[in-house]
Amino acid sequence: MTKRIILLIFGLLLVAGGYYAYRDFWQADAQPRQAAPGRPGGPGAGPTPVVAAAASKGEIDVIMNGLGTATPLRTVTVRSRVDGELMRVLFGEGQIVKEGQLLAEIDARPFQVQLAQAEGQLARDRALLENAHLDLERYRALYAQDSIAKQQVDTQASLVRQYEGAVQVDSSQIDNARLQLAYTRITAPVSGRVGLRLVDPGNIVRAGDTNGLVVITQLQPVAVVFTVPQDSVPAVLKRMQSGETIPVEAWDREQKAKLAAGTLVSADNQVDPATGTVKLKAQYANDDGALFPNQFVNVRMKLDTLRDVIVIPSAAVQRGAQQGLFVYLVKADKTVAQRPVKLGPTEGQNVAVTEGLAAGDLVVVDGMDRLRPGAPVEVASQRPEIKPPAESKGQRRRPPGGK
């Protein structure tokens, strides 16, 4: 009997302990927390803090973006015009060379021999021509005395003309020999940067070699070829035909650093049917060498400047499934309303509004994800820091492990 009473009392104590544990730990965590004052979405919630900006009248540039590739104005493969042994290479790989600068030399001795032979042949034929002239004068004097026949005089005159032709051939052979001798000195046809050397000294080079000695690319100035949609071509051509200079900027791949500033120089004459785009070419001075051949760049072309237009931050524009583009407008009673807008061109962080807003209208640029039409707001100068609500008194955090 005593054991039963003890077990009964022990069971009652366990039940009472479990009840208090449930009430203190589990039921306290299961109760929904009321929203803290000033937080939207709960009883007694105050105005929603937002960041707003006023629409203003200003200027905005009409910018057309495109993807382009830096292209040298001229790329020249330097080849030998004569056959012979490459004696010297006078340039370094990657060096900047000037037009007319000596790059390499080929063994000139065979061509000097050819020049000497041509000069000797010319001297021989000139001597024969002089002797033929003297004989012709004698024959004409004898013919005047009726001592020789007319045929002999005509034959000598023909011989003189034959030697004159031989002297002209010899002169041309000398010029050719001198030209071949000049070709043994290979010079840069354009100014630019040389690439890797393709032939080492000591090799026999020929005029028919396809690889050549080195490749020179002109970098100053340099061009950028980029594409624009075909629908934008009429505006570009109209601006080009007006004679105005169209500025074009080249930016890096991430559009964070401006590489160079240039101008539009030409447009292609046909649309690419595969992409529906047209190629344009801009030219840059590239004095600092920021643009490199075949480098990928982002292009920003300024077509026009709109003046006295309504400008707002791009962050204020929202897109809805039914209402389309809209902004949250802060009214005089510190509530917000959805205002549909029509947008114009975008420049940086700003966008032009063609319909829907007036100068001075206050639009929400941050915090709109918690807004509904008619909701009260509190305009702040910067994004507010939202802290988690404090635990109410009497509530205790669940101990680790869920016990």
Side-chain angles (χ1 to χ4, degrees):
M1 185 69 180
T2 304
K3 291 183 178 179
R4 292 183 179 179
I5 294 174
I6 293 174
L7 292 176
L8 179 60
I9 294 173
F10 183 72
L12 291 176
L13 291 175
L14 289 177
V15 172
Y19 168 74
Y20 284 110
Y22 172 77
R23 186 186 67 177
D24 290 342
F25 295 101
W26 298 97
Q27 189 175 5
D29 287 344
Q31 291 178 354
R33 298 177 181 176
Q34 295 182 352
R39 292 290 304 273
T48 303
V50 297
V51 180
S56 61
K57 278 193 174 182
E59 298 181 354
I60 192 167
D61 295 331
V62 180
I63 303 296
M64 184 175 298
N65 298 318
L67 302 177
T69 304
T71 304
L73 294 184
R74 289 190 289 179
T75 301
V76 180
T77 301
V78 180
R79 295 185 175 91
S80 173
R81 295 190 178 186
V82 294
D83 300 345
E85 180 183 355
L86 185 62
M87 302 298 293
R88 292 197 302 164
V89 174
L90 304 175
F91 63 88
E93 296 178 336
Q95 177 184 349
I96 300 296
V97 297
K98 300 296 183 180
E99 182 177 355
Q101 179 177 338
L102 182 63
L103 300 179
E105 288 184 346
I106 297 176
D107 187 6
R109 290 173 296 178
F111 304 98
Q112 292 173 348
V113 172
Q114 294 178 4
L115 177 60
Q117 291 178 347
E119 290 175 345
Q121 184 69 28
L122 176 62
R124 174 178 175 276
D125 290 340
R126 279 180 176 175
L128 293 175
L129 177 60
E130 292 176 1
N131 183 62
H133 273 294
L134 294 176
D135 289 344
L136 179 60
E137 295 298 328
R138 296 190 189 99
Y139 290 164
R140 286 175 177 173
L142 294 174
Y143 175 74
Q145 298 174 4
D146 198 17
S147 298
I148 59 175
K150 181 68 168 58
Q151 180 180 1
Q152 192 172 357
V153 176
D154 295 340
T155 301
Q156 187 63 31
S158 177
L159 183 61
V160 168
R161 290 191 296 270
Q162 179 180 349
Y163 287 146
E164 290 175 346
V167 169
Q168 292 180 358
V169 172
D170 295 339
S171 299
S172 64
Q173 289 180 349
I174 290 177
D175 294 338
N176 180 66
R178 288 175 177 171
L179 182 61
Q180 300 300 313
L181 183 61
Y183 284 159
T184 60
R185 295 172 54 86
I186 302 175
T187 58
V190 295
S191 299
R193 184 190 299 274
V194 298
L196 302 180
R197 186 174 67 247
L198 303 178
V199 180
D200 297 324
N203 287 278
I204 301 298
V205 294
R206 303 186 184 279
D209 293 341
T210 57
N211 294 331
L213 303 178
V214 71
V215 178
I216 301 178
T217 55
Q218 184 178 1
L219 301 180
Q220 297 174 349
V222 70
V224 170
V225 178
F226 61 100
T227 58
V228 296
Q230 59 182 354
D231 297 336
S232 304
V233 174
V236 177
L237 294 181
K238 181 179 179 181
R239 188 73 189 280
M240 293 180 63
Q241 293 170 359
S242 65
E244 300 180 13
T245 300
I246 303 178
V248 183
E249 297 178 349
W251 292 69
D252 63 351
R253 183 184 296 271
E254 298 179 354
Q255 299 193 22
K256 293 182 179 180
K258 178 181 174 182
L259 301 177
T263 57
L264 185 67
V265 294
S266 61
D268 201 357
N269 58 357
Q270 58 184 350
V271 177
D272 187 352
T275 59
T277 58
V278 176
K279 292 181 180 179
L280 303 179
K281 178 183 286 188
Q283 186 169 316
Y284 302 83
N286 199 31
D287 295 331
D288 56 354
L291 297 178
F292 206 75
N294 295 330
Q295 179 182 0
F296 172 83
V297 295
N298 287 284
V299 175
R300 298 180 184 178
M301 180 171 57
K302 179 181 175 182
L303 284 182
D304 200 359
T305 301
L306 301 181
R307 295 175 173 81
D308 295 331
V309 294
I310 303 299
V311 180
I312 63 172
S314 304
V317 181
Q318 303 293 307
R319 182 182 297 274
Q322 298 179 353
Q323 61 270 42
L325 298 176
F326 68 92
V327 296
Y328 280 109
L329 180 67
V330 180
K331 300 190 294 186
D333 59 354
K334 299 300 181 181
T335 60
V336 293
Q338 286 185 355
R339 178 69 63 84
V341 293
K342 290 185 178 180
L343 303 181
T346 301
E347 180 187 3
Q349 302 295 329
N350 297 326
V351 61
V353 179
T354 58
E355 292 183 15
L357 291 178
D361 288 344
L362 204 61
V363 295
V364 179
V365 297
D366 196 0
M368 67 280 292
D369 53 340
R370 304 184 300 274
L371 295 181
R372 297 293 182 271
V377 295
E378 178 184 355
V379 179
S381 58
Q382 59 183 359
R383 183 181 179 92
E385 181 181 358
I386 301 176
K387 298 182 179 180
E391 294 182 353
S392 59
K393 293 182 179 180
Q395 292 183 346
R396 291 182 294 176
R397 186 177 302 275
R398 182 182 300 177
K403 297 182 181 180

